[in-house]
Amino acid sequence: MTQTLTIRRPDDWHLHLRDGAMLRGLLPETARHFARAIIMPNLVPPVVTGAEAAAYRDRILSARPEGADFTPLMTLYLTEDTDPEDVAAAHASGLVTAVKLYPAGATTNSASGVRDFDRVRPVLERMAEIGMPLCVHGEVTDPEVDIFDREAAFIDRVLDPLRRATPGLRVVMEHITTRQGVDYARDGKDLGATITTHHLVINRNHILVGGIKPHYYCLPVAKREEHRLALRAAATSGDPTFFLGTDSAPHADPAKESSCGCAGCFTATNTMSILADVFEMDNALDRLEGFTSLHGPAFYGLPANDATLTLTRGAPVNYPAKIETGDGPVTVFDPQMPLHWSVS
Ligand code: NCD
Ligand code: ZN
């Protein structure tokens, strides 16, 4: 007997599409399964203004494969010079869905991010007024703070004070990796949290045991097993606070397999298979649709997709180890487990 599961088409609430040949090479991997995605603005240089977001959106639309049904939801990269009126106008016109906050230096291409949070207060206040969500990369950059503690420290030192100072601001805690992140998101008002596919599968041992594994290195870095289990419990709980943001973040292999390798796991290709197997393992297949297709739209005030996606359970499926792009090969995340579910 074949087992199938039909869900509303999923959306990816945190995705790096890059630009140029990488964009053209990898957009099909996302557009095959996902109807919409929140597009990260950390290009070089970053997407800061409404005009830059419009131009980037056009490049994404023209990279879409023939016949693809995929809508990019654009974001603006928050800088200390961001103009609140430009943000509000880009939101009002429907061009831009959210603003992304990177603490300066926290991750890939974040040098133009925020150092002094008082300087972005007028933007945050305007966003609270108009109901525009702020997507937050939640890690402190203080060199004194251990990299495995940076998310928990960010919640106490930055996120909680920022939310108290700006009542009504809708915040997405992006790619949470800790029990502290789960607990804080669950208890908060106007708060959502994305969880990546890879953080449901790996802990820090995957990166470091038996040789250093650059394709499991991403930011925020995977933590101890107890944190992975907290993320699994949150994702499969059915709590609408938590939804999928893959943070699929491609880098060409030479940039990963280097003495100073880039952060990012590329999961667009096999995310839906991995998630179906993960939710099945946790006896939560009936909650997969909420996580991938319902909670995100509800947080963003958008309708869920009408189209559906059907997954089929069968003999383990294999995905390509790498996808070739005009900017070099990109390794597909290896979950180190058989994947029985595939998209029909
Ligand atoms: C992202 C990237 O490569 O742009 N890397 C990552 O490890 N997730 C940046 C980010 O989202 O932090
Ligand atoms: Zn990211």
Side-chain angles (χ1 to χ4, degrees):
M1 186 191 92
T2 46
Q3 207 185 333
T4 66
L5 176 68
T6 297
I7 60 174
R8 286 185 187 249
R9 253 183 111 204
D11 302 304
D12 186 348
W13 299 96
H14 181 129
L15 176 67
H16 298 270
L17 280 181
R18 314 302 190 203
D19 214 340
M22 184 82 81
L23 165 66
R24 287 191 296 277
L26 297 180
L27 180 55
E29 301 303 301
T30 287
R32 196 175 293 137
H33 299 157
F34 294 90
R36 297 170 289 196
I38 286 274
I39 309 303
M40 288 296 122
N42 64 332
L43 304 182
V44 189
V47 179
V48 174
T49 64
E52 287 159 359
Y56 185 31
R57 184 177 65 175
D58 288 346
R59 298 199 293 282
I60 295 169
L61 293 177
S62 53
R64 273 187 311 190
E66 199 59 38
D69 177 11
F70 174 75
T71 306
L73 304 175
M74 307 308 293
T75 62
L76 296 178
Y77 185 117
L78 182 62
T79 73
E80 294 181 2
D81 300 319
T82 293
D83 172 6
E85 292 319 311
D86 181 59
V87 170
H91 186 248
S93 71
L95 168 66
V96 159
T97 302
V99 168
K100 176 71 190 237
L101 165 64
Y102 290 101
T107 187
T108 314
N109 305 336
S110 62
S112 325
V114 177
R115 269 163 243 277
D116 177 357
F117 288 85
D118 286 335
R119 296 198 50 180
V120 296
R121 187 149 310 288
V123 182
L124 302 185
E125 278 164 9
R126 193 86 177 86
M127 290 171 63
E129 264 169 46
I130 62 178
M132 184 180 192
L134 179 72
C135 298
V136 176
H137 183 109
E139 290 189 286
V140 294
T141 54
D142 180 348
E144 309 261 293
V145 179
D146 188 277
I147 191 165
F148 293 100
D149 298 331
R150 288 180 174 199
E151 180 172 298
F154 183 88
I155 294 169
D156 297 339
R157 289 194 198 175
V158 182
L159 182 59
D160 195 59
L162 181 146
R163 290 182 57 243
R164 285 175 197 278
T166 325
L169 180 66
R170 298 177 62 66
V171 172
V172 185
M173 295 173 69
E174 301 275 83
H175 43 50
I176 55 169
T177 58
T178 58
R179 181 173 45 73
Q180 291 90 333
V182 167
D183 291 346
Y184 187 80
R186 190 194 288 122
D187 295 341
K189 187 168 168 289
D190 297 323
L191 204 49
T194 57
I195 301 178
T196 75
T197 307
H198 49 283
H199 287 117
L200 295 174
V201 175
I202 62 167
N203 62 32
R204 64 197 207 177
N205 281 6
H206 288 78
I207 312 168
L208 296 170
V209 172
I212 190 157
K213 312 288 187 345
H215 295 292
Y216 292 127
Y217 172 62
C218 68
L219 289 171
V221 70
K223 310 293 192 299
R224 288 177 182 276
E225 178 65 357
E226 64 168 288
H227 296 290
R228 185 186 73 90
L229 294 175
L231 298 171
R232 282 279 275 252
T236 58
S237 68
D239 182 335
T241 304
F242 303 103
F243 43 94
L244 175 65
T246 65
D247 194 16
S248 183
H251 295 274
D253 284 349
K256 295 280 300 171
E257 298 164 5
S258 144
S259 62
C260 183
C262 291
C265 296
F266 176 69
T267 57
T269 306
N270 53 5
T271 275
M272 290 309 298
S273 276
I274 298 172
L275 290 175
D277 272 88
V278 160
F279 275 65
E280 178 182 62
M281 244 178 265
D282 291 2
N283 292 314
L285 263 183
D286 57 329
R287 294 178 177 161
L288 179 66
E289 182 181 44
F291 183 68
T292 62
S293 317
L294 302 177
H295 303 164
F299 181 89
Y300 277 93
L302 295 168
N305 298 306
D306 283 327
T308 58
L309 181 102
T310 297
L311 293 136
T312 306
R313 195 184 201 288
V317 279
N318 290 311
Y319 287 89
K322 295 173 194 293
I323 309 279
E324 296 296 335
T325 80
D327 282 337
V330 171
T331 290
V332 176
F333 176 76
D334 174 4
Q336 294 185 18
M337 63 185 195
L339 297 176
H340 301 94
W341 287 91
S342 58
V343 177
S344 310

